[in-house]
Amino acid sequence: MKLTRTGGLVAVALTGTLALAACGSDGGTTDNGSSTGNANISCASGSLKASGSSAQKNAIAEWVNAYQAACPDATIDYQANGSGAGVTDFINKQTAFAGSDSALKEEEQPKADARCASGPAINIPMVGGSINVVYNVEGVDKLILDAPTLAGIFDSTITKWNDPKIAALNAGVTLPDTSIAQFHRSDESGTTDNFTKYLIAKEVWDFEGGKAWEAKGGQGAKGSDGVANAVKSTPNSIGYVELSFAEDAGLSSAWIDNGNGPIEATSANAATTIASATVDGTGNNLPLKIDRAGTTGYPIVLVTYEITCEKGLSGSDLELTKSFLTYTASNDGQAALTDIGYVPITGDLLTKVQTAVSSIS
Amino acid sequence: MSTTVEPPGSAAPDAPAAIKGAAVRRGDRVFLGLSRGAGVLILVIMAAIAAFLVWKAVPSLQANTANFFTTSEWTPDADPAYFGIAALAFGTLMTAVIAMVLAVPVGIGIALFIAHYANRRLGSALGFITDLLAAVPSIIFGMWGLEFLMPQMQGFLQWLTTYFGWIPLFQNDLGIWTRSIMIAGTVLAIMVLPTVSAISREVFVQVPREHIEAALALGATRWEMVRMAIFPFAKPGMISASMLGLGRALGETIAVALILSANYVINWQITEPGGNTFAANIALRWNEAGPIGLSALVASGLVLFVITLAVNMAARLIIARRAEFSGANG
Amino acid sequence: MSEQTPVSPADERAESDRLLHDALAGGKLPRWAAAGAGTAALVLALVLNVVTFVDGIAGTLVVAALLFAVIQSAWSFAVEGRRHAVDRLATTLIYTTFLVALAPLVAVLLTVIIRGMKALSMDFLLTSMRGVSPREEGGGVYHALVGTIEQVGIAALIGVPLGIMTAIYLVEYAAQARSRRLARAVSFFVDVMTGVPSVVVGLFIYTSVILTLGMERSGFAASLALTILMIPVVVRSTEEMLRIVPRDLREASYALGIPKWRTILKVVLPTALSGIITGAMLAIARVAGETAPLLLTTFMSQSINFNPFQGPQAALPLFIWDQFNSGTTASQDRAWAGALVLITLVMLLYLTAKIIARYTGVKK
């Protein structure tokens, strides 16, 4: 008796599962509006895994959508679990390439090379970003800051909005006599790393730099969306987030005076800085040295890399990685970035990137 | 609830020797082997967990240039590695203490209500409801805490700062009352409530009828009956119920990771944003960790493992002593 | 039994005399006392709401409750004396906990339903996130649903038999002299295992199976972590069920000359079966919503993958985590809809288990 009753239950559960299995489908593959120039993609098929930087998550998502729309036989999964985990995954052969906020470190390079049976692991810059200094001060539509004032605000030596140092840069703007609510990232992030790299390059920051926030004072918020929300909901506040988050939250971004007059924080101005970067590697390995202190473009930028094997990937991993990265490095692929709040790689640097991708074998 | 108090001394009878013939023996031996193997496997798994955590924690502990227990900084991937668990231990204990302060009286109250105040039907309905609360996944509690509870608590927390700000604990210099240890502790309290109440309830219903009736017959009020007949009998059970709840609060991960604005300082002002716990720190930092960073997280996981192990063992020992005691008694 | 009562016989007599006197001679509040005090408290709270800092519905109700406790206790203290005042106060507090238990559950369910209904549709259940970027609306949870069913299913396939066998060992064989010490150790560590934090289990699988043995992150790795979380729950519930199978049944079977292992398989297990199934379902419900171990052991995917042993595979809790942290309006709506699906799944399992337990349990 009991057996038949429970048997019946199991049967119902099984039928339910099977019914579900029969009629589900991968959605959205046909109606992808944002994919441009699908015809230019030379498809490979199979399944590819990559992981790493969350800074490039949305860029990769956009590219993957466009790529899969053109190549229905391919499945690419990018897990945005962070640069550190991405590199670890790559070294442990969990993935075919890693997305990372920084090029491979010295101690990581030999391990990564060892993972690639027959060739070195290379860093390919692929996605650029602009780090905007967002603020929420009523009545101030255009705020100009420079490196010393930024450093002052973020290490809490400048505490009032109408501080003479800020006022000197913003003649004619009425700044309120209120204290500055300063927000920084509470989690470790490439955004913090690159933001402080700029301040360090200008020699106004007394800390070592890195992914974790070091200065005392101010308030931490988790993730770029956390900082954006905090700034949005706190009057007289300031924080730093990637361009796309500034756009999504509808926040004003400060202009940065890098010595040649104030520069607006736009994708195009950031692209100028990235294009002027010099390559700090040999052959097709392209770690970049960005001249943040001397650029004529918007200086607070970040570049994220794809780390993969120049030689030594195998089978479908090789074909898919090459095919996918060829698309992302193409003019179409890079052009798609501006719309979603990233910064494209342009000029000679893009040519080098394309050469590096084509060398993958 | 999953955890229960075993009824004492009810081992099944063994088969008499008469039917242990040769043909039978093989079947029995195989079956005994299988079931003993399953039991041994559990011991192996527990040993393996401990062994792996220790093994993987060693590299970072060797590389560490700070005091692992007293430092409240976390930069294991820097050169030289510098990290310690002080801030984690503080946040973990603080959230757990808040959870316990809120959940233990309420949980015991619920258990009393079900066992001795409500009529049978209402009691079993409420028992069912608290069990349902236990079934809500922790990620949902986290999202709910952020989306619903946090805005609801703003007014109360501000009130607390306004009128009790002179207590350092409730002082708030930032003027922001979100994503704090206080809120995380409250969510944890709700999450451990079912554990505390279910186990207390089981002990309460085991109180011998005669004790209760004797107390009432003497003219005791219901509360006096509870204090004189129920609490003395159920005290070990209540303590271990609380400790099992504490064990759960210490190890809870995702809800805390979602709610806290994780930073790495010891801040006694618990209504301000910030704080961190062992478990949340692992879930959040695992992402950006390099090899030593991962090993450092494993080391912190090992500490958490040892703490929860100790708490749970203590709870079990207390409950086991009581079982022997009442077993001998009747 | 008398050793449990904390008073000596002499004190006891004095105490009981006093109690008797109080009970017979003391004053008593009228039957409408509670209602009266309640009304007074509510009115007073409303007045306070208008004239002082007390505001909001929740705040007013809390103040009203406090006032009720104070008014009733004071009144009772005046008429009935200290003992009854304390009793009434305790009763009020205990009834309050009933509401306190109810409030969060109702609030959680309502929040999940209201926020979840926005993005929930048949399409949401039957499509994956493939080709849907975080800012766009649309997409669904199908790939995650498949992943969760498979991962939890595999965990159950391994964990339930293991748990049942362990419980059999603990109940049926622990009496044998040779097994006693081992059984005691196993029993103790099963208890301890219940308390191991899920993130630590995830870390264990990640460092052992994935980093050391070099297996790829997959649905199966997640299953292993879930298995470890499931085992102690299954062992405990099965053990409890086996213990209430009557002795006579086993002895009757032995009397017929049936060997022990066949007795267990054919007599003991079938008798306890529905209880064991209930326990297993509760264990499944418990692990289905686990997020932390999955973060460390699986490789998140946006596409459907039916093979848990190879390639990336999503799961419901991961889907929720991923969408919630993407931070756009569309993705948060999806996260809540995912939460609604998950909570429905868990509650269904839970209710089914309770119904089975209620209607088919072992008859004592």
Side-chain angles (χ1 to χ4, degrees), chain A:
Chain A
M1 270 299 282
K2 275 187 201 109
L3 271 179
T4 49
R5 201 180 296 151
T6 40
L9 265 174
V10 170
V12 168
L14 274 181
T15 335
T17 317
L18 288 176
L20 209 60
C23 53
S25 68
D26 277 326
T29 40
T30 46
D31 61 332
N32 192 289
S34 53
S35 52
T36 44
N38 291 350
N40 294 338
I41 298 175
S42 70
C43 287
S45 60
S47 166
L48 180 71
K49 286 193 296 184
S51 67
S53 161
S54 45
Q56 52 172 289
K57 179 185 177 195
N58 288 0
I60 298 269
E62 206 66 32
W63 282 333
V64 166
N65 288 349
Y67 186 86
Q68 289 180 160
C71 314
D73 292 338
T75 297
I76 298 172
D77 285 296
Y78 181 81
Q79 189 171 36
N81 56 4
S83 303
V87 171
T88 310
D89 279 346
F90 176 70
I91 290 173
N92 289 319
K93 298 193 178 187
Q94 297 274 338
T95 55
F97 70 87
S100 176
D101 294 339
S102 53
L104 285 171
K105 296 189 198 86
E106 244 172 82
E107 70 269 21
E108 289 167 346
Q109 187 72 47
K111 290 185 202 159
D113 288 346
R115 179 251 188 263
C116 305
S118 55
I122 52 174
N123 301 285
I124 309 173
M126 195 60 80
V127 185
S130 162
I131 298 171
N132 289 19
V133 177
V134 290
Y135 64 94
N136 175 1
V137 183
E138 211 173 301
V140 181
D141 296 329
K142 182 178 171 184
L143 179 73
I144 302 167
L145 297 171
D146 60 6
T149 50
L150 265 183
I153 291 171
F154 280 94
D155 68 9
S156 306
T157 51
I158 296 177
T159 57
K160 293 270 186 188
W161 276 109
N162 61 355
D163 190 282
K165 287 184 199 138
I166 303 179
L169 290 166
N170 295 280
V173 180
T174 326
L175 292 161
D177 179 23
T178 51
S179 43
I180 300 174
Q182 173 251 107
F183 288 96
H184 53 79
R185 288 282 291 272
S186 61
D187 49 339
E188 295 186 26
S189 70
T191 317
T192 298
D193 192 16
N194 284 283
F195 179 68
T196 50
K197 263 185 192 158
Y198 169 65
L199 298 175
I200 290 166
K202 298 294 275 189
E203 298 178 347
V204 292
W205 195 241
D206 295 334
F207 304 94
E208 283 176 36
K211 287 180 174 179
W213 184 254
E214 295 159 306
K216 303 286 176 232
Q219 298 156 41
K222 193 170 72 193
S224 282
D225 60 323
V227 172
N229 285 335
V231 170
K232 200 172 179 180
S233 59
T234 313
N236 302 313
S237 59
I238 193 166
Y240 58 92
V241 298
E242 284 112 22
L243 176 62
S244 63
F245 290 93
E247 282 178 352
D248 279 356
L251 289 165
S252 324
S253 300
W255 295 44
I256 303 296
D257 187 337
N258 202 26
N260 307 308
I263 307 280
E264 194 180 357
T266 62
S267 182
N269 287 340
T272 311
T273 304
I274 293 175
S276 69
T278 48
V279 171
D280 189 27
T282 51
N284 287 313
N285 188 15
L286 305 173
L288 296 183
K289 216 177 205 145
I290 303 170
D291 182 17
R292 293 179 173 87
T295 180
T296 55
Y298 181 79
I300 320 176
V301 296
L302 68 91
V303 172
T304 63
Y305 299 85
E306 313 308 338
I307 297 168
T308 188
C309 300
E310 184 177 13
K311 300 209 164 35
L313 285 179
S314 55
S316 72
D317 267 2
L318 171 64
E319 284 166 35
L320 258 170
T321 305
K322 188 166 183 178
S323 157
F324 179 65
L325 293 183
T326 303
Y327 163 65
T328 64
S330 69
N331 295 334
D332 287 339
Q334 289 292 320
L337 288 180
T338 313
D339 289 341
I340 52 169
Y342 285 93
V343 177
I345 288 164
T346 53
D348 286 349
L349 183 58
L350 183 60
T351 318
K352 283 181 195 154
V353 167
Q354 287 164 346
T355 314
V357 170
S358 65
S359 77
I360 297 173
S361 57

Side-chain angles (χ1 to χ4, degrees), chain C residues 64-125:
Chain C
L66 287 175
L67 283 173
F68 173 73
V70 172
I71 293 174
Q72 202 198 31
S73 308
W75 188 5
S76 166
F77 188 81
V79 180
E80 298 174 318
R82 195 188 57 83
R83 287 179 47 228
H84 287 275
V86 171
D87 182 48
R88 280 184 189 267
L89 183 64
T91 307
T92 308
L93 289 179
I94 286 167
Y95 272 80
T96 317
T97 61
F98 168 72
L99 294 177
V100 174
L102 218 56
L105 183 72
V106 172
V108 167
L109 290 182
L110 278 183
T111 312
V112 172
I113 291 169
I114 291 169
R115 291 289 274 111
M117 287 310 284
K118 265 190 214 163
L120 190 71
S121 65
M122 210 54 205
D123 262 5
F124 183 79
L125 291 177

Side-chain angles (χ1 to χ4, degrees), chain C residues 297-309:
Chain C
T297 51
T298 60
F299 204 99
M300 181 62 186
S301 171
Q302 308 294 343
S303 309
I304 300 167
N305 176 9
F306 285 107
N307 185 353
F309 297 98

Side-chain angles (χ1 to χ4, degrees), chain B residues 46-322:
Chain B
M46 287 299 288
I49 292 178
F52 260 96
L53 292 182
V54 171
W55 180 34
K56 292 290 173 182
V58 165
S60 68
L61 294 177
Q62 280 174 342
N64 194 5
T65 53
N67 184 318
F68 180 64
F69 291 103
T70 58
T71 309
S72 60
E73 260 175 78
W74 194 268
T75 49
D77 283 317
D79 193 22
Y82 191 88
F83 64 94
I85 55 167
L88 297 179
F90 171 80
T92 308
L93 286 181
M94 211 64 197
T95 46
V97 164
I98 294 171
M100 286 297 100
V101 166
L102 296 174
V104 167
V106 175
I108 288 177
I110 294 170
L112 272 181
F113 182 83
I114 294 172
H116 294 291
Y117 277 70
N119 61 37
R120 252 189 94 117
R121 192 177 252 160
L122 188 61
S124 68
L126 185 63
F128 181 70
I129 283 169
T130 46
D131 282 356
L132 268 190
L133 206 54
V136 176
S138 104
I139 187 171
I140 293 180
F141 270 118
M143 289 160 67
W144 173 77
L146 269 188
E147 197 97 350
F148 178 86
L149 190 69
M150 197 165 83
Q152 296 294 318
M153 279 183 74
Q154 292 306 292
F156 171 70
L157 293 177
Q158 287 187 27
W159 177 83
L160 213 55
T161 304
T162 315
Y163 293 94
F164 295 93
W166 46 272
I167 303 173
L169 227 46
F170 300 132
Q171 201 177 330
N172 192 317
D173 299 327
L174 294 177
I176 298 175
W177 285 267
T178 54
R179 290 174 174 269
S180 61
I181 283 186
M182 191 74 185
I183 295 172
T186 311
V187 172
L188 281 184
I190 296 170
M191 296 178 71
V192 302
L193 198 58
T195 311
V196 176
S197 83
I199 297 168
S200 312
R201 184 175 84 208
E202 274 173 43
V203 193
F204 288 159
V205 296
Q206 283 177 21
V207 175
R209 200 76 234 156
E210 300 88 337
H211 290 204
I212 296 168
E213 278 161 9
L216 289 176
L218 286 173
T221 61
R222 196 146 47 158
W223 175 243
E224 284 163 344
M225 177 274 285
V226 168
R227 259 189 33 214
M228 291 174 354
I230 295 180
F231 280 174
F233 181 89
K235 198 161 138 205
M238 282 153 61
I239 293 173
S240 61
S242 310
M243 295 187 76
L244 290 175
L246 179 65
R248 190 169 173 204
L250 290 171
E252 185 46 54
T253 313
I254 291 297
V256 180
L258 272 175
I259 288 169
L260 285 183
S261 167
N263 57 10
Y264 212 87
V265 288
I266 294 179
N267 182 0
W268 284 91
Q269 304 183 2
I270 54 174
T271 62
E272 289 177 4
N276 212 332
T277 69
F278 284 110
N281 191 52
I282 294 171
L284 293 173
R285 286 201 197 233
W286 170 76
N287 291 348
E288 293 291 345
I292 295 295
L294 186 67
S295 165
L297 289 177
V298 173
S300 77
L302 181 64
V303 175
L304 175 63
F305 180 69
V306 171
I307 295 175
T308 49
L309 211 66
V311 168
N312 279 293
M313 277 183 176
R316 298 298 172 186
L317 287 178
I318 294 172
I319 244 182
R321 260 219 315 265
R322 192 201 66 89

